[in-house]
Amino acid sequence: MRAVLAYSGGLDTSVILKLMQERLGAEVITVTVDVGQKDDFEAIEEKAHKFGAVEHYTIDAKEEFAEKYVSQAIKANAMYEKAYPLATALARPLIVEKLVEVAKKEGADVIAHGCTGKGNDQVRFNLGIKALAPELEILQPVMEWELSRDWEMDYAKKHGIPVSDKIYSIDENIWGRSIEGGPLEDPFFEPPEEIFEWTSSISSAPDEPEYVTIDFENGVPVALNGEPMDLLTLVTELNEIAGKHGVGRIDHIEDRTVGIKSREIYEAPAAVTLIKAHYDLEKLIFTKWLLEFKDAVDSKWSWLVYNGLWYEPLREALDAFINEAEKAVNGRVKVKLHKGNAIVVGRESDNALYSKEVATYEHFSTFDQKLAKGFIELFGMQSVMAYSSRAKPMGKVPEGSPLAAKSH
Ligand code: ARG
């Protein structure tokens, strides 16, 4: 058996690497995809070889992740259950793509990963692999071999695999950091300060606010504080700036695909800031009909991505709609970062539907107020009539209503 293993260098995947050789006599090719997790990739490669990988790939996919996945998430204002910017979920289809590429190149017949049977990532990995390479077998040892943490620790010690005493499960990429497990499993327990790495606490964040401007083109951020830059650089810089001000801490009770409710903590300073800014700009530019309809599209898009349905044609069709709408989303947003808040305080666009001449309460307004009278009458006619109609059985139809009993 020749197998590709998604390898993080952690306890689970190191144990799996050894076990696959021991139990299946597999030749294992390890793959680590760099999507911006702050890891030592050389040390991971060394470990892979030490624990018997016949070949190791470190694939830098940060730019591709930003350009193809993060940019689309911004256009879709992607927030699962109004809270989670989807960092982990978004990276999975890209990681799958890389695993499949290596598997084909290396003539492997199996792809293995370290997901448990309780999370979302197994759904995302497995559906992705099935879509791209249905001929490949999927091996999910933690679930299939029922590996428990205690057993793994024991096995690791025997095989010289380093074990840490970490109590949290963490996943990281440029779009955010996910933290779960340990004492956080009690949803009433306040996240302790020590779990946060990207964000300051509100008390230690600077007392003075900081302003940033973000320029958007076709719905995608293209400049920070007036300086043009690629999305990867922009997101990386904004994670620093907004993180310093304590922006982007999220404490979320989340519905997993498999039905479990879980308590998740996220740090996503750039994601929170950019999506706020982007949505604000849409409100300046879109008609009310487009804005309202796109809200539903956005939430469906997030739902599909969260649930591992990246390859679902509905996702592609929604993307086509989103890309069409986003052609107008060009402009600049000013955001004030202060003590855990990202507050939009200004926006401008050549495509704005906002007009001071129309909106102003001053005398020079071009809006003809008198038209409002007839408009309101027609606009609410049915609702007003229905109100009377509901009163009819009680004999209480308001006088003057078109539904009031005629006296002839
Ligand atoms: N709940 C999130 C998701 O399903 C994050 C999971 C991240 N995994 C972790 N080990 N912390 O996308």
Side-chain angles (χ1 to χ4, degrees):
M1 176 196 284
R2 212 168 148 74
V4 163
L5 169 66
Y7 187 63
S8 70
L11 173 69
D12 286 324
T13 51
S14 297
V15 167
I16 291 170
L17 170 55
K18 273 254 158 230
L19 278 179
M20 285 172 67
Q21 299 164 66
E22 207 177 273
R23 292 193 181 174
L24 306 169
E27 284 173 19
V28 188
I29 299 137
T30 45
V31 178
T32 307
V33 183
D34 174 6
V35 277
Q37 64 275 42
K38 287 166 191 156
D39 277 338
D40 179 346
F41 294 102
E42 274 173 31
I44 293 174
E45 171 158 13
E46 243 168 65
K47 263 193 197 171
H49 288 304
K50 183 167 162 215
F51 302 133
V54 295
E55 192 77 63
H56 177 82
Y57 289 77
T58 304
I59 300 171
D60 180 354
K62 291 194 288 292
E63 214 173 283
E64 199 178 344
F65 182 48
E67 296 300 326
K68 285 203 209 148
Y69 294 81
V70 171
S71 66
Q72 208 58 31
I74 296 169
K75 290 194 240 177
N77 299 305
M79 285 282 175
Y80 177 66
E81 295 184 330
K82 299 188 172 70
Y84 166 41
L86 294 176
T88 299
L90 264 183
R92 295 316 187 202
L94 176 60
I95 295 171
V96 166
E97 202 183 294
K98 300 299 171 199
L99 294 173
V100 168
E101 260 171 46
V102 173
K104 294 211 162 152
K105 184 171 162 223
E106 290 284 346
D109 33 43
V110 172
I111 292 184
H113 58 71
C115 299
T116 70
K118 298 179 89 175
N120 298 315
D121 286 331
Q122 54 171 349
V123 183
R124 300 166 184 151
F125 274 110
N126 295 3
L127 289 181
I129 297 164
K130 280 177 190 295
L132 295 181
E135 74 280 11
L136 292 178
E137 192 190 315
I138 299 167
L139 180 68
Q140 200 174 328
V142 178
M143 179 192 74
E144 289 171 36
W145 296 341
E146 296 180 70
L147 306 180
S148 72
R149 195 169 163 86
D150 289 342
W151 187 90
E152 282 188 29
M153 298 270 263
D154 218 45
Y155 180 87
K157 278 180 202 141
K158 282 190 203 131
H159 290 82
I161 297 168
V163 293
S164 67
D165 47 8
K166 67 167 194 152
I167 40 179
Y168 300 103
S169 164
I170 289 164
D171 182 68
E172 220 180 39
N173 63 52
I174 57 160
W175 202 227
R177 183 165 176 267
S178 315
I179 311 142
E180 51 184 27
L184 298 172
E185 287 179 353
D186 172 1
F188 204 76
F189 175 79
E190 182 177 351
E193 208 38 55
E194 83 241 15
I195 67 168
F196 297 106
E197 282 185 7
W198 291 16
T199 52
S200 308
S201 66
I202 290 180
S203 52
S204 67
D207 289 329
E208 290 303 311
E210 180 168 352
Y211 290 85
V212 290
T213 62
I214 300 144
D215 290 6
F216 288 86
E217 255 173 51
N218 302 321
V220 180
V222 293
L224 182 62
N225 294 327
E227 195 189 321
M229 57 185 80
D230 62 80
L231 190 58
L232 174 59
T233 311
L234 192 148
V235 168
T236 308
E237 288 196 10
L238 194 55
N239 271 330
E240 285 292 323
I241 303 171
K244 184 178 72 195
H245 287 277
V247 169
R249 287 189 179 184
I250 298 158
D251 182 340
H252 182 219
I253 300 297
E254 186 169 295
D255 286 290
R256 288 191 189 157
T257 308
V258 294
I260 297 172
K261 279 197 189 286
S262 66
R263 199 278 186 92
E264 308 277 331
I265 306 296
Y266 300 107
E267 293 183 278
V272 165
T273 308
L274 289 174
I275 289 175
K276 265 201 175 171
H278 174 263
Y279 185 56
D280 188 278
L281 192 59
E282 286 186 338
K283 288 197 284 183
L284 184 70
I285 293 166
F286 285 170
T287 62
K288 60 201 269 193
W289 321 120
L290 179 53
L291 190 69
E292 186 189 20
F293 190 81
K294 187 169 175 291
D295 261 348
V297 170
D298 289 350
S299 100
K300 194 70 191 178
W301 193 93
S302 302
W303 187 91
L304 290 169
V305 172
Y306 182 84
N307 287 297
L309 296 170
W310 182 263
Y311 296 97
E312 157 65 44
L314 178 56
R315 199 268 307 159
E316 287 175 24
L318 296 183
D319 269 336
F321 170 85
I322 290 168
N323 291 341
E324 179 60 30
E326 293 296 306
K327 285 179 185 166
V329 184
N330 305 306
R332 170 172 288 187
V333 181
K334 180 162 62 174
V335 185
K336 179 175 173 173
L337 305 168
H338 192 212
K339 292 278 184 196
N341 296 298
I343 308 160
V344 175
V345 292
R347 69 288 281 162
E348 62 185 12
S349 167
D350 288 343
N351 301 337
L353 296 186
Y354 176 87
S355 157
K356 189 164 179 232
E357 283 64 40
V358 172
T360 183
Y361 286 114
E362 304 293 338
H363 67 278
F364 60 83
S365 174
T366 57
F367 183 87
D368 181 355
Q369 296 194 55
K370 299 216 177 67
L371 293 176
K373 191 169 183 290
F375 165 75
I376 293 167
E377 211 143 304
L378 299 183
F379 174 71
M381 182 172 65
Q382 290 195 356
S383 306
V384 168
M385 282 173 78
Y387 187 79
S388 294
S389 154
R390 285 201 300 276
K392 219 172 178 177
M394 282 102 76
K396 284 186 182 157
V397 176
E399 227 171 286
S401 158
L403 295 184
K406 297 274 179 323
S407 51
H408 41 201

